[in-house]
Amino acid sequence: MKTISCMKIDESLLESFGAEIKNYKPKEFIFRDGDSPLYYYQLKNGVVKINHYDENGKEFIHNILGENQSFGDSLLFTNKKYPINAITLSSSSVIKLPKNRFFELLQQHPDINRDLNNCFSQHLYYNLIMMQSLASPHPSVRIKGLMEYLKSFHSCDDAFSFHIKLTRQQIADLIGLRVETVIRTLKKMQEENLLKIENKQILY
DNA sequence: ACATTAACTGTTA
DNA sequence: TAACAGTTAATGT
């Protein structure tokens, strides 16, 4: 039904505008909360998490990204500083293109500009869904919202076809719950046939 | 390192 | 007041 293209720009095109590839070890910061957005970033391979820490130091994960996904794009269109961190979870290589060259690229490629708008719209839509479920006091609603959100990045939406590749702790940090609650709630949801668990793997 | 369980506390429906 | 999320801690995989 829906093919979400999270923004992916052709690598050689990016390079022709002066993009560079930077390699990161696991647990390195790509940018930090408070930095100024200066580059367009696209993940070539690896896994990156977007998070922030609340006033008590508790982590809140915004997203976990896989290859070919871009991140932090929307901040390039503001003069705000990043309110989030981007941290590698595995060894990763990232393509980075300076902001001004990125804008030139968009100007010369209206089709890509349009795709970017499309991508922003999709994100906005699923962010709304996420927000609505996060506002719920019921853990199962939050988990369900997260699953829908994650599944939206994947093309296939058959029942129980989507494998959630996150640890229980990561799920908890994405929706502001405790691991124990996530575990308890996942069990209930399994009983209610909302998802399947096969040797600890969550299928949605 | 991650998942689960149990026992307890405080909050809320 | 019964259910249920957070806390802590122990145990299992």
Side-chain angles (χ1 to χ4, degrees):
Chain A
M1 183 176 158
K2 53 213 155 176
T3 359
I4 299 285
S5 39
C6 200
M7 206 47 200
K8 191 218 163 177
I9 301 176
D10 183 70
E11 204 179 311
S12 46
L13 180 62
L14 285 168
E15 273 166 4
S16 73
F17 276 81
E20 288 182 354
I21 293 176
K22 190 167 173 191
N23 296 308
Y24 294 87
K25 285 176 273 198
K27 299 185 180 182
E28 276 194 277
F29 281 83
I30 298 168
F31 58 73
R32 287 171 187 272
D33 188 348
D35 289 352
S36 292
L38 301 173
Y39 297 92
Y40 166 81
Y41 292 100
Q42 186 170 298
L43 187 54
K44 187 174 152 78
N45 56 58
V47 184
V48 169
K49 80 172 166 188
I50 307 295
N51 75 351
H52 83 273
Y53 299 94
D54 73 12
E55 59 284 354
N56 306 315
K58 192 190 166 198
E59 181 181 26
F60 185 91
I61 302 178
H62 290 250
N63 208 347
I64 294 185
L65 307 159
E67 59 183 44
N68 291 330
Q69 294 192 286
S70 62
F71 49 94
D73 318 4
S74 56
L75 272 298
L76 291 173
F77 297 90
T78 74
N79 48 17
K80 308 277 185 203
K81 307 208 163 165
Y82 287 116
I84 46 173
N85 306 294
I87 308 170
T88 55
L89 291 179
S90 65
S91 300
S92 307
S93 42
V94 174
I95 310 166
K96 59 188 252 186
L97 179 65
K99 180 177 171 168
N100 57 340
R101 303 298 326 266
F102 175 62
F103 288 139
E104 283 172 36
L105 187 154
L106 289 183
Q107 208 156 32
Q108 290 172 35
H109 296 268
D111 50 328
I112 292 177
N113 203 335
R114 195 212 55 220
D115 288 349
L116 185 67
N117 270 309
N118 184 39
C119 172
F120 280 173
S121 305
Q122 297 278 6
H123 272 151
L124 222 37
Y125 172 78
Y126 283 102
N127 278 340
L128 287 171
I129 303 287
M130 263 293 261
M131 246 189 278
Q132 286 178 8
S133 46
L134 281 182
S136 166
H138 305 290
S140 62
V141 176
R142 296 205 203 177
I143 292 181
K144 190 163 179 285
L146 173 65
M147 308 259 192
E148 296 285 349
Y149 179 70
L150 294 173
K151 199 168 175 172
S152 80
F153 288 92
H154 254 173
S155 36
C156 177
D157 41 27
D158 299 339
F160 307 134
S161 66
F162 180 57
H163 179 195
I164 313 281
K165 298 178 201 79
L166 298 173
T167 66
R168 315 272 140 137
Q169 185 61 63
Q170 286 173 329
I171 294 173
D173 292 337
L174 274 154
I175 55 184
L177 295 173
R178 296 291 165 186
V179 229
E180 292 82 355
T181 306
V182 169
I183 290 165
R184 293 192 272 237
T185 310
L186 283 173
K187 263 192 195 165
K188 261 186 219 165
M189 294 173 75
Q190 182 190 24
E191 259 132 54
E192 291 159 16
N193 265 305
L194 291 167
L195 51 83
K196 279 189 183 167
I197 300 173
E198 277 167 18
N199 54 57
K200 323 219 161 182
Q201 307 299 304
I202 303 160
L203 301 172
Y204 184 72

